[in-house]
Amino acid sequence: MRKVLIVDDAKSNRVILKTILSKDYDLIEAEDGKEALTIMHRNYRLLSAIVLDLMMPVMDGYEVLSAMRDNVSLAQIPVIVVTASADDDSRVKALALGANDFVTKPFHPDIIRHCLRNNISLRETASIMNAIQKDKLTGVFTREAFFSKVSELVRDHGSGTFVLTCFDIDNFKLINDQYGAVVGDKILRGIGTNIKTIFEELDGVCGRISGDNFAGIYPNTPEAEEFIEKNRDRAMLSAARDINMSYSVGRYVINDVTLSASSMYDRAYIAKQSVKGLYDRHLAYFDEDMLNNLVQEQQITNEMDAALKKKQFEVWFQPQVNSANGAIIGAEALVRWRHPVRGLISPGIFIPIFERNGFIYELDKEVWEQTCQYIRKWIDEGLDPVPVSVNISRCDIFREDLILVIEGLVERYGITKNLLRLEITESAFETATDHIVTVVKQLIERGFTIEIDDFGSGYSSLNTLKDVPAHVLKLDMKFLNNSGHDDRGGNIVESVVRMAKWIGMSVLAEGVETQEQADFLKSVGCNYIQGYLYARPMPEAGYLEYVELLQKETSMQTLETIEHLNNRSFWDPKSIDTLIFNSYVGAACVVEYKNGHLELLRTNKKFSLEVGSMDVVSELTHLNQPIRKLSESYHKVLLSCITKAIETSKEETCEVSLKKLNDKEEVRFLVAARTIANTNDRWLLYCTVSNITAQYRINEALTETNGMLTLLADSIPGGIATYEYKNGDISIVYYNDGFCKTLGYTKKEYDELSKKSVSSCIFKEDFHIIEEQLVNLLGGTKTIECVYRIQTKQGECRWLMHRAQIISRRKDAIHINSVFLDVTDEYTKETNLSTGDTSKKCDSTGGEA
Amino acid sequence: MNEQQRRVLTLRDTDINAAIYRCCNDEKLYGKLMRDFLTDKTMSELMIAVQVASWDEAFTAAHALKGLAGNLGFVPLMHSTGKLVVTIRGGRTLEIPEAVTEVRSCYRDITDAIRQYLSYEE
């Protein structure tokens, strides 16, 4: 039995109502509004209707109506107002507050019964309708009800007056998988509640079409548009505060009212699908091109299987050329669809469709097989083919039999693996990188050459270079085109080329169309080029004619490294090589040398400490301004050392001085350089750097002291000389100007003479004098002194007084310091005094000289 | 309901048939409701409200009394309280005493009649 609540403060009235209604209803009573609301809150699901008196103490009927209107659940319950007043004001007021019907006192039992029955029936019918029209989960219209409402609105208002929008959560299935269906449902419920409020505010309606697909219709006015834009993020995203999600929106301005609501929705849906997966766009308006594309996609999908069977897909070849010498280094196999009706269809049209529907694997396999067939044919014809690159699509990598298929093909056609290169587009590495890297490694282990395709055309990642052990990097020229010919774009390209090379990858630029681009690429060390500048893709016959004219280069030039250098590991920040470089060697750096140009590529911590400060290092490494703090002369010294190291392939050293930043003091370094790798005209050198400033200062001081001493020695009269006695031989190691002068020579002349013999000027007869004295000196005499004759350069005989003493006595040699004085005048006087003493005459045999 | 009882109510213009019909022809219930009416406080609330010139409360009480009287078939009382409701709602305070006097008179008549009615119970 349906439950009815009677609310009247007068007991008699309640009794009468109970008497009238008790046969048909299960009745609950309340004496005032407050009690009534309490009962309603407890029983709102069970109450079929309320009979409400208007005039009551505590809380009157109007207040009860008002409170019920503010509560969604209570607002659903039909209310029959009873009052003794027959005036229109109270009726209007009560009806305005949501009363469903009105009966006056005194009661007429039949009126009250019918009134109650009709209202309950109406509400129940509405509930049933609601259950059909409203989506149980979200509370918005169901698909059918929404389309019905759209039809009504469009019929009543005409073309261009409404916008149909549809939206869904990106990757909602993932949210369901990750957080569970309960959370997923909660999000959908939240969205339903939010969008219902928004569309009702705009006098529009909304519905849930399926899953997480919602749709709404609202007036095509700037105000409505603004309101939607202002609130849509909140409506969609506040439903899941802790979950990072995005959504896509498609809109169709209804300008063809002859379409069914479902077709209108389809148009909004197509617009929405056009932004799916885009990073920077989440909203699109429908235009006719979208529909045409869809129709075209459907046509292509319908025909693709038959086209494959009928061999409508052809493989064309685009040559790859070494711009340095014009030789052909390979070709890329590209697919074309020769459609019997539409003619040649560009891959730009059908490849994206095949990528979406998964047919790409079938097509790729066809291309791989045709390519292998061609290579086999060329070998059989004795043509000595260059390698051909084939594309591997992202979807292919997830096929378990990929490696088996490719290996099977090269085996079946008996071609070597180096002739079939494999191109994997860079965007493939954006997701599921681990898996793709694993597959790439397996292919490399099996001997295939891997190329990273389209690098620079999308959101290129340096991680791709780091993680993927590919052989060739195919640089997309779109990167340069997009950034213009500014320094920035050029610098980045140069850096990418360099980075790729130093980790052992060859770089090939594709999409090169102008000589200007080719010249630039050449200037940054990228000689391998593919593009319209050299050749367009062409069928086999044209390709063979093209190849015939060119010299062939079957292997791409790659990095040459010193033995045991693992170049990838060398650049890997986590490798043992890096650990050693950073922690276990002294100050070291890696520099690149190219055409007299030096650039620092890498330094370790000790280098930073030794060289001074990071500021200095940053100055040093400033792009295109390398080694700035070196003076021109030291720069030359360093360059000379580096070029010598390149020539000899051995370690070469040099000393350079560097001024610290904000510091006038010069620091002296000993640089030892050795080549570790080379590619084309670029060389990579490993340099160790030692701070030898202290030693340098000592040496400088010594040199200065020596200079002063020499000056002093040269300025005194008489000669000074230092001899070395070693293994029974005596040689002269130092003599001053005075010594040479005494003998009648210049210092340069005596240099030549002394090489022949130390004793070349001494009279033979007087040899014994110096020999005896030398024996005495070596025997322990502290100082010896003797006089003997010498013959000067001019043939003149002179008497020399020679005084000598040992200045150092080492194990292997003894150094003797000698002072000479020309005593000829004194001796001549003595001879004049005693002419009989022939020993003091100077007329005997001259010296050896 | 015996003849004496019917006569005493009819004398006061009570719509006995409608009232009994409202009670689903349960005369006993009607008799009980009349007895309850004697102890109902609505009339005394109305009088207090009028004396202290609390017109909102007077209006509510008059309205309630009108409904009660209507349901029990006390036609003169229903009309007089109806008049009072209209007078109070219209803010015609000068006319209220006269309307109240009429309500009081009708109330006295019907309560006398109910007491007589009850005295004729078998």
Side-chain angles (χ1 to χ4, degrees), chain A residues 170-240:
Chain A
D170 299 333
N171 297 317
F172 183 67
K173 195 182 171 303
L174 289 182
I175 292 174
N176 255 344
D177 289 347
Q178 197 176 345
Y179 298 97
V182 175
V183 173
D185 284 354
K186 195 178 160 198
I187 293 170
L188 295 179
R189 211 162 25 239
I191 291 173
T193 308
N194 295 342
I195 63 170
K196 196 170 172 227
T197 315
I198 290 172
F199 283 94
E200 278 176 3
E201 185 84 19
L202 294 170
D203 293 328
V205 289
C206 58
R208 180 177 171 222
I209 309 303
S210 64
D212 60 318
N213 280 301
F214 290 88
I217 183 168
Y218 60 91
N220 185 19
T221 61
E223 297 77 31
E225 178 85 17
E226 191 187 333
F227 185 78
I228 289 269
E229 286 308 301
K230 207 171 146 188
N231 290 290
R232 69 181 165 102
D233 268 358
R234 183 184 55 79
M236 294 298 289
L237 305 179
S238 68

Side-chain angles (χ1 to χ4, degrees), chain A residues 680-712:
Chain A
N680 292 349
D681 51 355
R682 288 169 191 268
W683 296 85
L684 202 63
L685 295 108
Y686 185 90
C687 301
T688 57
V689 179
S690 323
N691 188 338
I692 52 163
T693 312
Q695 183 61 42
Y696 179 68
R697 297 261 181 277
I698 293 167
N699 288 346
E700 256 188 345
L702 266 176
T703 308
E704 201 177 325
T705 311
N706 281 341
M708 282 164 64
L709 281 173
T710 305
L711 207 64
L712 193 67

Side-chain angles (χ1 to χ4, degrees), chain B residues 11 19-20 29 32 35-36 38 40 44 50 62 65 72 77 85 90-92 94 96 99 101 106 108 115:
Chain B
L11 274 173
I20 291 176
L29 175 64
K32 181 182 180 298
R35 194 181 295 120
D36 289 347
L38 293 177
D40 190 274
S44 56
V50 169
L65 193 56
L72 293 174
L77 180 61
V85 165
R92 304 196 298 270
L94 290 175
I96 290 174
T101 307
C106 292
R108 196 164 45 234
R115 284 191 195 96

